[in-house]
Amino acid sequence: MTRLATLAGLLALVPALSAAAIAQNAPPPSTAPSPAETNPLPTTTVPDTSKSGPDPASPAPQQVPIPRPAQSGAAQTVTPPSSTLPTLVTTPGEPNDVDEVTLPAKPVAILTGSTKWDDARANLRKAFKSIGDTLTKLNLKPAGRPIALFTKTEDDGFQFEAMIPIEAAPAQSPEGGAVKFGSSPSGKALRYRHSGTYEEIDGTYETLTAYLSAKEIPVQDSFLEEYVTDLGEGADDKLDINIYALAK
């Protein structure tokens, strides 16, 4: 997984523009015909009503059970339960649409880490759990969805800051602990919503990169992911993730 390394390389080629470029609308939806239009199903034959009943010589059709996905061995996509914790921007984004938002500065508990791309989901999940355990010990409650700031990317992995928003930071950070307290990134950003498995997020980043390149919108090299649904252990979990490209 080198989605952010690819983004960083492409964004380095983007010239600086005025702030008006950020307010441009997302590209219109594709006008290509759907598979149903290009490959319509055959029309059902009109039944012959001249006969008063079924042909006695024809045997009655047998009921053939339709196999369920579990019976046929097909993978089932699981959607994790939604959370009541608010997102950074309370107005939800639309899939496949880029919208300009303003990120507020939120007090957060922060845990810095690094991981290989193949272990990203598992290590991010561990980081959020460690933060949650620290908050429990300090009698603090989460006040928002988990977020991760990708601070440095390489071919084989990346460095990150895992964060969980809280109501207010404690007067003093616990001594000797890895969890620190600070503020989340704030300011103008472009939000793009990923809806699918975590393994499919590369395609979402490619779409966002193409949009930024086509619109020539300058952004920072750091990107922020907000996990509207929890990062589960299942590879087929369908997730909602807000990706924020921070404006320069």
Side-chain angles (χ1 to χ4, degrees), residues 151-248:
T151 57
K152 183 180 180 180
T153 61
E154 299 173 343
D155 290 341
D156 60 344
F158 61 91
Q159 298 177 11
F160 64 88
E161 292 181 357
M163 309 178 194
I164 293 182
I166 54 179
E167 289 293 340
Q172 290 184 342
S173 299
E175 295 183 2
V179 175
K180 308 299 181 182
F181 294 90
S183 297
S184 62
S186 59
K188 297 291 185 181
L190 291 174
R191 177 179 61 180
Y192 197 89
R193 178 183 171 190
H194 169 73
S195 182
T197 68
Y198 194 74
E199 283 67 23
E200 296 170 336
I201 200 170
D202 284 356
T204 301
Y205 269 94
E206 290 174 2
T207 302
L208 176 57
T209 302
Y211 175 82
L212 296 174
S213 179
K215 295 293 183 180
E216 297 184 333
I217 300 175
V219 296
Q220 300 179 27
D221 291 339
S222 300
F223 286 79
L224 192 69
E225 288 183 1
E226 179 181 38
Y227 307 99
V228 183
T229 51
D230 293 334
L231 284 174
E233 297 181 4
D236 295 321
D237 290 351
K238 183 177 181 181
L239 306 174
D240 270 337
I241 300 175
N242 289 324
I243 301 173
Y244 297 98
L246 307 175
K248 281 188 177 179

Side-chain angles (χ1 to χ4, degrees), residues 87-175:
T87 54
L88 293 173
V89 180
T90 55
T91 304
E94 295 293 334
N96 304 320
D97 189 18
V98 178
D99 56 335
E100 181 184 355
V101 298
T102 300
L103 296 176
K106 296 277 189 180
V108 292
I110 307 170
L111 181 60
T112 301
S114 61
T115 180
K116 302 295 184 182
W117 289 106
D118 291 341
D119 303 323
R121 180 176 55 177
N123 286 329
L124 285 172
R125 191 170 61 247
K126 291 178 182 178
F128 293 135
K129 184 181 184 304
S130 296
I131 296 175
D133 292 342
T134 299
L135 295 181
T136 300
K137 293 178 181 178
L138 298 176
N139 199 25
L140 298 173
K141 294 182 178 180
R145 299 302 302 157
I147 54 180
L149 179 66
F150 296 82
T151 57
K152 183 180 180 180
T153 61
E154 299 173 343
D155 290 341
D156 60 344
F158 61 91
Q159 298 177 11
F160 64 88
E161 292 181 357
M163 309 178 194
I164 293 182
I166 54 179
E167 289 293 340
Q172 290 184 342
S173 299
E175 295 183 2

